[in-house]
Amino acid sequence: MSAPLIDGSAALGGSLAVAVLLGVGFGFALERAGLGSARKLVGQFYGRDLTVLKVMFSALLVAMLGVYWLARLGVLELGLVYLPDTWLWPQLVGALLFGAGLITAGLCPGTACVAAATGRLDGLVVMLGIFVGMLVMGLLLPGFSTFFVSTPRADWTLPQALDLPYGVVVAAIVLLALVAFVAAERIEQRYRRCA
Amino acid sequence: MRMIRLLLAGLALVAGLLAGIAGSAAPPLADDEISAVELARWIADRRTGLLLVDLRGQAEFDADHLPGAVPLARVDAAALPAADTTLVVYADDHIEPDAVPKRIADRDRQRVLRLRGGLQAWSDEVLFPTIRSDAPAARRRAFDERARLSRYFGGSPRVLDPGVDIAQPRGRRGC
């Protein structure tokens, strides 16, 4: 067997059905982890609650190790997995804007959907802001289209950027994650003692 | 709860460290497999006793085949020569061990290998190998050998310029 199970040749309806299922699962996991609450998200930046770091980094580890080992065992054909392209500076600027918006709103797009789905008004307002932002972006795009496609790096991966074997990068990220988890616990404990 | 966390952390650590030792995400070659690049080296070095067998139909064989290959229908297993003959079987794509015809597979005297990835791998890895234009110098030096091999077989090594070649979404090719 070779994954992905739903490849580019699958019917649109099947692909969308799988996407809906995955989206529901993702939203469920976020809500159960408490990430539908703006307090929990913003707590990340004040050092009082690093749940976001722990949940997201855990998910990243599971996905990364799953992809690596499924490929290594011949179950997943990596060449069939879509990899988005990198435009270095536009995406760095976009990430800064995203971070500023996250701190201001207390929610990111995914958690805003979760918050809205659970009846929180702030989630609805953030989602409205996201759509307004997308509209404004579309209207202003012609003005900075040159920057928007500058510094292209194609399908750039960490192993390529660091010129290291894929498995070595995986091992390094696992170690980084475990150190981050321990550090997060220590930071939260310190906050609780001081509070 | 703490024990569960420690267990999960331990599993992640073991999986990560094993990944670091393994290196590449590509599955290791089985004992009865050969990579396209290694086969290309054998052919270029004119390795003796090498016989390439095309498992596809005659029409596919006539359209395209590996240099020096013969179609399966023309292989007389009983008349195969010496014991040191190496048969390499291939198709359009990867073939499983049970797809190798029994009259070839059940040969005690000859070694039978499957071409990993088939003609597709030959095209991707031998004829049209690709390297990014921003690859480090060491990687580009290693690519030079692949480029020479590509030209030997009439292929064309490609240099991917990220600034030009972001036309369509692509999958990842090996890490």
Side-chain angles (χ1 to χ4, degrees):
Chain A
M1 183 177 79
S2 182
L5 299 175
I6 302 291
D7 64 18
S9 64
L12 179 61
S15 299
L16 289 176
V18 171
V20 168
L21 281 173
L22 290 174
V24 168
F26 179 57
F28 176 80
L30 285 183
E31 201 279 332
R32 290 286 82 202
L35 301 193
S37 163
R39 284 183 182 275
K40 195 169 272 291
L41 282 155
V42 173
Q44 177 82 16
F45 301 100
Y46 295 105
R48 65 170 184 259
D49 188 341
L50 296 173
T51 300
V52 175
L53 172 80
K54 289 183 276 186
V55 168
M56 292 302 184
F57 220 155
S58 301
L60 187 151
L61 278 192
V62 171
M64 179 185 67
L65 288 169
V67 166
Y68 178 87
W69 283 109
L70 285 175
R72 180 78 182 175
L73 296 172
V75 176
L76 173 67
E77 196 172 327
L78 272 183
L80 295 179
V81 178
Y82 170 70
L83 199 64
D85 290 322
T86 297
W87 283 269
L88 194 57
W89 275 108
Q91 286 170 341
L92 279 172
V93 170
L96 282 172
L97 283 173
F98 182 93
L102 173 56
I103 294 175
T104 306
L107 293 166
C108 67
T111 51
C113 291
V114 171
T118 53
R120 291 188 170 99
L121 281 178
D122 58 349
L124 284 169
V125 172
V126 171
M127 284 189 67
L128 180 63
I130 289 169
F131 287 121
V132 169
M134 285 161 61
L135 178 63
V136 170
M137 169 72 173
L139 292 171
L140 295 179
L141 184 57
F144 55 94
S145 56
T146 305
F147 173 73
F148 192 72
V149 295
S150 66
T151 58
R153 291 290 183 271
D155 50 348
W156 208 27
T157 62
L158 274 177
Q160 286 171 337
L162 301 174
D163 195 25
L164 289 172
Y166 188 178
V168 172
V169 174
V170 168
I173 292 174
V174 168
L175 290 172
L176 177 66
L178 295 177
V179 168
F181 293 154
V182 171
E185 292 284 313
R186 297 255 169 98
I187 291 170
E188 286 176 336
Q189 281 171 7
R190 176 178 284 187
Y191 178 83
R192 281 194 288 271
R193 277 200 299 270
C194 296
Chain B
M1 191 63 181
R2 184 178 159 79
M3 282 306 300
I4 294 174
R5 286 187 189 180
L6 286 175
L7 178 65
L8 290 173
L11 284 173
L13 185 61
V14 168
L17 291 177
L18 287 175
I21 294 168
S24 168
L29 287 173
D31 290 339
D32 65 338
E33 280 185 317
I34 184 171
S35 68
V37 174
E38 184 64 17
L39 178 61
R41 290 191 186 112
W42 283 8
I43 297 172
D45 292 343
R46 301 181 194 279
R47 184 181 172 109
T48 57
L50 180 62
L51 179 62
L52 308 184
V53 180
D54 192 316
L55 299 184
R56 303 169 302 157
Q58 188 65 46
E60 290 92 344
F61 178 85
D62 292 337
D64 189 20
H65 56 268
L66 293 182
V70 295
L72 176 65
R74 292 220 310 255
V75 174
D76 182 355
L80 286 171
D84 57 356
T85 300
T86 301
L87 273 67
V88 176
V89 297
Y90 71 90
D92 282 322
D93 212 324
H94 183 67
I95 50 176
E96 297 298 329
D98 54 7
V100 180
K102 285 189 75 59
R103 66 188 179 97
I104 289 180
D106 294 342
R107 302 295 305 170
D108 294 332
R109 291 163 50 202
Q110 286 88 24
R111 190 176 166 208
V112 181
L113 300 174
R114 294 171 291 127
L115 176 60
R116 161 81 69 88
L119 275 180
Q120 185 64 51
W122 181 265
S123 175
D124 291 342
E125 297 169 29
V126 176
L127 293 183
F128 307 109
T130 303
I131 189 169
R132 292 172 63 100
S133 61
D134 55 0
R139 197 174 281 262
R140 270 185 270 137
R141 279 194 297 274
F143 184 77
D144 286 344
E145 192 254 344
R146 297 272 297 276
R148 277 194 297 275
L149 210 54
S150 168
R151 293 187 195 99
Y152 178 87
F153 289 103
S156 175
R158 295 187 286 201
V159 178
L160 170 68
D161 182 347
V164 170
D165 295 303
I166 295 185
Q168 295 164 12
R170 284 179 306 281
R172 183 164 40 188
R173 287 281 172 201
C175 288

